[in-house]
Amino acid sequence: MDFDLDSDELRKWIFGDEVSLRRFLARRASPLSVPHSEIMNDPNQKIWARDEVLDFPTKALVNLAIMSALNRPHELETRVRGLLRGGMRPEVIAEVFLQTAFYCGNPAGVEALIILVNAVNDMRERGTLVHEPTGPLPVVAPSSLPGDPQDPPSRADV
């Protein structure tokens, strides 16, 4: 799929629904954000325009993994909603969060999955969900690996 950095389609993928876009535009309206915008807009456009190796959907999924690992819920929700509106299947996003749970810790994956489930439910109610999940979203369960730092000690360990 091709994306033009100036297109409404790209903005929909990146900034999500009206609620998310309102938050972004409110930040841009403040004179306090001018230096940030002046410094970050050009590199941001350049990084998203690079498609020699990674296509746009892959970069967007990598973004979700990073934001969930760093616990950035507001930006994560914006991107999740944008990707869902752009046609990304909920199961694909859920799989990213399952990977996050495994590699970054279950709390990060659970929080990200909660954001996804809430976004799917809200968008379904508003009639803006493009794809219904075709099956249950993956359950993020505590790791069963012995010695996982995310697991509390068992009685045998105490």
Side-chain angles (χ1 to χ4, degrees):
M1 186 180 288
D2 291 323
F3 292 92
D4 173 6
L5 281 175
D6 295 322
S7 72
D8 289 336
E9 185 69 19
L10 179 65
R11 282 188 206 59
K12 182 168 59 173
W13 274 68
I14 291 179
F15 300 121
D17 60 7
E18 295 81 21
V19 174
S20 302
L21 186 57
R22 235 180 287 135
R23 184 174 170 267
F24 172 77
L25 292 175
R27 180 199 59 87
R28 286 190 59 187
S30 170
L32 297 172
S33 69
V34 171
H36 182 267
S37 294
E38 286 174 351
I39 292 169
M40 296 305 296
N41 282 348
D42 187 50
N44 186 53
Q45 288 180 357
K46 286 179 180 175
I47 198 78
W48 281 98
R50 292 177 49 83
D51 54 6
E52 297 82 21
V53 178
L54 296 177
D55 62 10
F56 184 86
T58 303
K59 285 185 280 199
L61 293 173
V62 168
N63 239 239
L64 293 184
I66 293 167
M67 282 186 271
S68 61
L70 293 175
N71 189 22
R72 299 295 188 260
H74 299 295
E75 189 68 17
L76 181 63
E77 181 181 6
T78 296
R79 301 292 172 95
V80 165
R81 288 177 177 273
L83 289 172
L84 290 171
R85 279 191 73 171
M88 183 73 66
R89 298 207 58 86
E91 297 87 352
V92 173
I93 297 171
E95 186 64 27
V96 169
F97 296 154
L98 185 60
Q99 295 287 318
T100 301
F102 183 81
Y103 286 100
C104 300
N106 195 46
V110 168
E111 290 302 317
L113 190 59
I114 288 169
I115 288 170
L116 172 61
V117 169
N118 289 343
V120 166
N121 290 340
D122 179 59
M123 292 174 75
R124 180 185 297 118
E125 287 175 16
R126 293 170 55 202
T128 58
L129 185 63
V130 175
H131 296 291
E132 280 290 333
T134 57
L137 295 177
V139 175
V140 181
S143 172
S144 60
L145 298 174
D148 186 329
Q150 297 296 326
D151 287 345
S154 69
R155 288 185 168 243
D157 295 334
V158 179

